[in-house]
Amino acid sequence: MPPEDEGPDAVRRATDACLKLLSMRGRSRRELEQALARKGFTEAVSEAALARVKDWGYLDDERFARERATLLLGRGRLGPQAVAHRLRAHGLEEGTAQQAISEASDVVAFDALATARAVLEKRGLLGRPLGARERARAGRLLDSRGFSEDVIHRLLGEASLDPSGPEE
């Protein structure tokens, strides 16, 4: 690699690239590392740029995780497991993700049972007798949205099962 790709000018360009990406939305360290690698910056230049951005307070994985978890839980469409999966996809460690979810749950007063109920109500799967297939479909929906087995069982236990209902 030419010397100009390793010097202070390269670090400045990499730092500018990080700042541009962060101006659009919050990002994790891993996301920025990947973006810099795609742009062809060396690992040494990337590390120097990421250190600068972190020192300036623009890169903080814990803050990013809290903000993202708060946003996702606050939308009322996902359960904690789905939020944790999305945080891990951003390159965050399991402990960081779980701590962020815990803090975000307090901030948005997250109630998993109420959120899961709202998801099912939106799909028209509550308030009427459910056949076995509909009940299974409701369970799969909640599972795919990251709700715990306990929440799914508690909620579907509330929904009346019509044993003679249609098998769709």
Side-chain angles (χ1 to χ4, degrees):
M1 205 155 269
E4 63 269 8
D5 287 344
E6 291 291 330
D9 191 50
V11 173
R12 182 194 52 74
R13 289 192 324 271
T15 302
D16 289 346
C18 288
L19 293 173
K20 183 177 180 181
L21 289 168
L22 288 167
S23 72
M24 292 181 233
R25 70 166 177 84
R27 297 182 193 265
S28 68
R29 179 181 178 87
R30 189 178 94 184
E31 287 178 292
L32 292 177
E33 287 171 348
Q34 291 172 338
L36 293 175
R38 281 191 304 272
K39 292 178 182 291
F41 291 104
T42 65
E43 190 174 330
V45 168
S46 294
E47 285 302 316
L50 291 168
R52 273 186 177 179
V53 173
K54 183 176 175 123
D55 287 346
W56 294 339
Y58 294 120
L59 179 60
D60 181 340
D61 277 353
E62 289 78 17
R63 181 182 64 223
F64 170 76
R66 279 190 310 274
E67 290 171 355
R68 191 79 183 136
T70 301
L71 175 73
L72 293 172
L73 287 176
R75 286 181 177 163
R77 296 185 292 223
L78 297 175
Q81 294 168 353
V83 173
H85 177 76
R86 289 182 182 202
L87 292 176
R88 288 190 308 272
H90 284 286
L92 301 168
E93 294 179 5
E94 181 67 28
T96 301
Q98 292 304 321
Q99 181 65 32
I101 291 167
S102 175
E103 292 174 16
S105 292
D106 292 341
V107 168
V108 299
F110 182 75
D111 180 343
L113 193 60
T115 303
R117 184 178 290 114
V119 167
L120 291 182
E121 285 172 350
K122 186 173 182 181
R123 294 285 178 106
L125 293 169
L126 281 184
R128 61 183 173 86
L130 297 178
R133 292 180 90 180
E134 282 184 311
R135 189 183 189 100
R137 189 173 114 215
R140 286 191 306 272
L141 172 64
L142 293 177
D143 182 59
S144 73
R145 297 284 181 95
F147 292 96
S148 70
E149 284 185 34
D150 179 56
V151 167
I152 294 169
H153 290 295
R154 286 176 56 201
L155 187 57
L156 292 179
E158 291 177 14
S160 59
L161 176 62
D162 182 4
S164 63
E167 287 298 313
E168 293 178 45

